[in-house]
Structure formats: structure tokens, C-alpha cells
Amino acid sequence: MSGGNTKERGQFSTRLGFIVACIGSAVGMGNIWMFPYRTGTFGGAAFLIPYFLFVILLGFSGVIGEMAFGRGMGTGPMGAFAGAMEMRYGKKGRKYGKAVGLIPVIGSLGIAIGYSVVVGWFLKYLWSAVSGTLTGVADMGAYFGELAVPFGSVGWQMLGLALTFLIMLLGVAKGIEKMNKFMMPAFFVLFLMLFVRVITLPGAMDGFRYMFVPKWEQLGNVKTWVYALGQAFFSLSVAGSGTIVYGSYLKKDIDVVGCARNVAFFDTCAALLAGMVVIPAVFAFGLDVGSGPPLMFITLPVVFQQLPMGNVFAAIFFVAAIFAAVTSLMNLFETPIEALQQELKLSRGKAVGLIALIAALVGIFIESGDAVGAWMDAVSIYIVPLGALIAAVMFFWVCPKGYAREQVQTGRDKTLGGWFEPVTRYLFVGITFIVYVLGIFFGGIG
């Protein structure tokens, strides 16, 4: 069953375009900001062991499931959930499925609005680096404090939204796909440039040892496993939203298992590369690698201040961060845009314009650090994992027996093994429920 007419929908023009777009959705601020911080907090390589395990597990269950669910139904979460409920309960089930499908749509929009505030901060820091003022800041904490206040970065946030929505106006192939094909390779090149500079710093090797020599006692810390799970779950964009939408733009002859493998691999490479830049750089100057959110906007800028040509390297860093953030924003905003196009039959331009207006009107009221933090916590704790859980139940349980296997098998030459149903129906759905519960208990793990 298809929830939409693919002739009227955008499509990724190539397999590579789809993979790069999905990598772009996965590679975001969590890789650059949260991953180095958590690796530093939970004993370096000790954190990497459970993180790798969860990436593999979630990549070969949740990611392939959401890609195949979207492609099979030919629509985003509202239409896909409606289609699943219709398969199970007949036409009367459609309206309930569509209503439940609003949850991941709202979650995706909510996270995107919060991210847009941070993109504004990135743009401000980029301008400061390019103009040469960043390295002259005497008190970086006060500098960031002046930015992260109510209505403290309206212009920069609006600029970030404008850049994102101008790309999205061009559509799937000409906008999202093309920009991801440019931004994602550029992201890796820019971070490789930073990595080459970092390895020459005195004391950087201590940071590499900290990152890659396991502190085995940390594996006995429950929080190491909890936050490794949260990092992998949210980094791979398992949310019942954007990956389903991107999957709905995917051609039938593409192997989603291979696509998911590539997404998981390059997302992990991005996180490791970011860690190998941030952690050794912070170690080299004797700063706190586990400093939390200030790591991005206070600690690292202090590092750049102490480097020769620090403004240049700061500019490279924030350009790369903006590329990662914008590619994620496109994925997040595409979910509500697709819903407006599919359910209300709005044109692409009207749907983009309406979501842009909502994002701007809401975003300007959460520009303080406390406000955006509370906003992101509420959405990421209570809405996003719930959307992922419902999507998993819909695809692996509500849809008829064998449907999930059939959709994942489509476009794949090699037959799926007997592992598929136990790993997806039981292990993945169970882990998604655990993520939801742990997020509430710990006050957020993503």
C-alpha cells in the first residue's frame, strides 16, 4: 500500500544522493558537540565500546526500518502510520494512524526550531572569527552570555533559517540532495584540515591516549552504557520522522540495508573525527574536556585564541559546524513540510513558507540558553523517542506479518537472514521503549 502518489512527489535522483542526505541528517551538532563531551566524561575509549555496539544494532534495525517504511508507504509519518492502521483495521483505522503520526511531525519541528537558535550562534561566532574579533575577546564566557539571552541573536537565527529554507524551496533533488552532496564532503575536508593542525600541538597526544586507551572501570558505570545508547540513538536520527520522509523519496531499486550501513559508518566517522579534533585540542591547552555545553562556545574558542592564525581555524571549525547543522535542519524541517504537502495538498512553496513562519515566530522566544535548553529537553525527552517507538510498532507489529521483511528486501539481491524479525520486532522495539523510559528518568540522554 502506498500513502501517496510518487509521480507528484520529489525523489532523490541517485542512490548516492539519498545516502549523503541521510548522512547529512545524522551528522549534526550531536557529533561535534555532545560526542566529544561524553567521550571525555565517560572515560574516553570506554565510552566508544558500547557506542559502537549500539550504532551497529540501531543501524541494522531502526534505520533500515524507517527507510523501508517510508519507501513502502510512499509518504511521511502521518500517511505511513495511517497506511499501517488501514492494513490492520481497515479504513476506520486511517484517521487514528494519521492523528498519531502528528507526534513525530511535531517532534521534528520542535527539535528543528531549537537547533535554529544554535545555528544562529554558530553564524555569530563565524562572523566574529572572519572579522578577527573572536581572538580578541577577553572573557569568552561573558561573550557567549551576551549572545545566549532573550532576543540575543534574532538576526543571526533569521539568517540561518533563511539559508535553510532557500535551499528547501528548490525541492528534494535540486535543493536537499545537491546541497548535501556539497556540504557533507566539505564537512569532512574541513575537519581533516583541523585534525592535521591539532596533531602538531604539544600535548595533543595525551588527548589521543585519553580517547583511545580504555578506562575499563567505566564499563561498570551504568551511565556509560545509558549515554552511549542515547548518543547512538539520537545521532542516527531514529525518530520516526525525517528518515521515513527521506525513505519516501527513495526509488524501489535501492538496497536500504546497504544505505543504512553507509549512514551508520559515516556518521560514526564524523563523530570520531570531531572527537579527534576537539579532545586533543582541549588537552593541549590544559582545559576541561568534560565541560559540557560550554565546550563548543567557550572552551574551544579559548583554544583558537591561543593558536597561531586562530581566527582562520575558528572560521574553518564554525563553517564545518554550520554545514553539519544545516544538513540536519533540512531533514528535520522536511518532515512538517512533507506533511503539509501530503495532507493539506499545499504547494512546496506554501508549505516551506508556512513552516518558515512558524519556526521564526517560535524561535525568537527561546533564544536564551536556559529557554532553548528547556525546549530541547522537553522535545527530545518526551516527543522524539515516543515518535520513534510508535513508528517501530507500526512497521514491525501493526503492518501485516511479512510486510516489513518484504519492504526491506525490495531492491536487495541478498536475502535477509533469520535475524531480521527477532532483532527488529523484539530487540529494537524494546530498546526504543527503554530509551524513552531512560530519557525521562535521567532527564535526557540524547
Side-chain angles (χ1 to χ4, degrees):
M1 173 177 291
S2 175
N5 188 342
T6 56
K7 292 182 180 180
E8 298 176 359
R9 295 172 61 80
Q11 274 195 333
F12 289 105
S13 61
T14 63
R15 176 178 180 270
L16 175 62
F18 171 73
I19 292 173
V20 173
C22 288
I23 293 169
S25 74
V27 176
M29 285 175 276
N31 299 75
I32 304 171
W33 183 352
M34 192 64 73
F35 179 82
Y37 155 59
R38 286 190 170 163
T39 304
T41 300
F42 296 105
F47 179 79
L48 299 181
I49 295 170
Y51 175 73
F52 290 154
L53 291 174
F54 288 128
V55 164
I56 293 170
L57 174 59
L58 295 172
F60 283 94
S61 56
V63 177
I64 63 173
E66 292 192 2
M67 287 178 179
F69 194 14
R71 183 176 65 179
M73 293 294 180
T75 181
M78 290 184 69
F81 291 11
M85 291 292 284
E86 183 178 358
M87 286 180 170
R88 174 69 64 174
Y89 301 107
K91 288 188 177 181
K92 64 180 181 180
R94 283 196 64 85
K95 62 179 181 179
Y96 298 108
K98 193 168 291 188
V100 173
L102 273 171
I103 294 173
V105 173
I106 292 170
S108 189
L109 177 59
I111 287 291
I113 292 172
Y115 269 15
S116 71
V117 175
V118 183
V119 171
W121 296 345
F122 284 155
L123 287 166
K124 168 62 175 176
Y125 271 74
L126 174 60
W127 173 251
S128 297
V130 171
S131 64
T133 60
L134 189 64
T135 52
V137 173
D139 186 339
M140 198 61 68
Y143 182 78
F144 178 60
E146 291 174 1
L147 184 66
V149 295
F151 308 104
S153 57
V154 174
W156 297 109
Q157 184 187 1
M158 294 306 106
L159 177 59
L161 287 172
L163 292 172
T164 302
F165 286 117
L166 283 173
I167 296 169
M168 300 190 74
L169 272 174
L170 298 174
V172 178
K174 293 182 179 179
I176 295 172
E177 182 175 347
K178 277 193 173 182
M179 289 311 298
N180 272 284
K181 281 182 175 179
F182 166 72
M183 287 183 173
M184 275 298 96
F187 167 87
F188 282 98
V189 170
L190 291 170
F191 258 90
L192 282 170
M193 291 170 63
L194 291 170
F195 172 73
V196 170
R197 178 65 183 92
V198 165
I199 60 177
T200 65
L201 295 175
M205 290 300 112
D206 291 334
F208 287 112
R209 279 190 289 270
Y210 183 83
M211 187 172 179
F212 291 112
V213 177
K215 293 183 179 178
W216 297 112
E217 66 273 13
Q218 282 291 345
L219 289 177
N221 183 355
V222 173
K223 288 187 176 181
T224 300
W225 293 83
V226 169
Y227 286 104
L229 171 59
Q231 183 71 33
F233 189 90
F234 285 90
S235 182
L236 289 173
S237 297
V238 181
S241 53
T243 305
I244 291 179
V245 173
Y246 276 9
S248 73
Y249 300 144
L250 183 61
K251 296 175 182 178
K252 295 289 187 181
D253 59 347
I254 303 298
D255 176 13
V256 296
V257 177
C259 292
R261 180 179 60 244
N262 283 309
V263 170
F265 175 76
F266 283 103
D267 177 65
T268 303
C269 287
L272 288 172
L273 184 56
M276 288 189 295
V277 168
V278 173
I279 292 176
V282 173
F283 257 82
F285 292 98
L287 299 173
D288 183 10
V289 75
S291 59
L295 181 66
M296 180 73 75
F297 296 102
I298 299 174
T299 307
L300 278 175
V302 170
V303 170
F304 294 130
Q305 285 182 324
Q306 300 177 61
L307 286 175
M309 299 177 63
N311 279 329
V312 173
F313 291 104
I316 291 172
F317 176 83
F318 284 109
V319 167
I322 289 167
F323 284 176
V326 169
T327 54
S328 293
L329 273 182
M330 288 191 291
N331 176 266
L332 292 166
F333 279 128
E334 184 64 18
T335 300
I337 288 170
E338 187 275 345
L340 290 176
Q341 288 186 270
Q342 188 75 17
E343 305 304 327
L344 298 184
K345 309 304 178 186
L346 296 184
S347 67
R348 177 80 182 179
K350 289 180 179 178
V352 170
L354 181 56
I355 295 303
L357 180 62
I358 293 171
L361 291 177
V362 176
I364 60 175
F365 292 102
I366 59 169
E367 288 192 337
S368 74
D370 290 340
V372 74
W375 174 276
M376 295 288 276
D377 283 346
V379 177
S380 64
I381 293 170
Y382 298 104
I383 303 178
V384 171
L386 180 59
L389 176 60
I390 296 172
V393 171
M394 287 286 182
F395 189 49
F396 296 118
W397 287 96
V398 175
C399 288
K401 185 178 181 180
Y403 179 81
R405 172 178 282 271
E406 176 187 346
Q407 296 307 316
V408 174
Q409 187 66 57
T410 299
R412 179 174 172 80
D413 295 328
K414 188 177 180 181
T415 303
L416 288 167
W419 59 268
F420 180 75
E421 282 79 11
V423 169
T424 55
R425 286 170 61 89
Y426 299 99
L427 192 55
F428 172 66
V429 174
I431 284 178
T432 306
F433 176 75
I434 290 170
V435 167
Y436 188 49
V437 173
L438 288 176
I440 295 172
F441 182 80
F442 284 95
I445 62 172

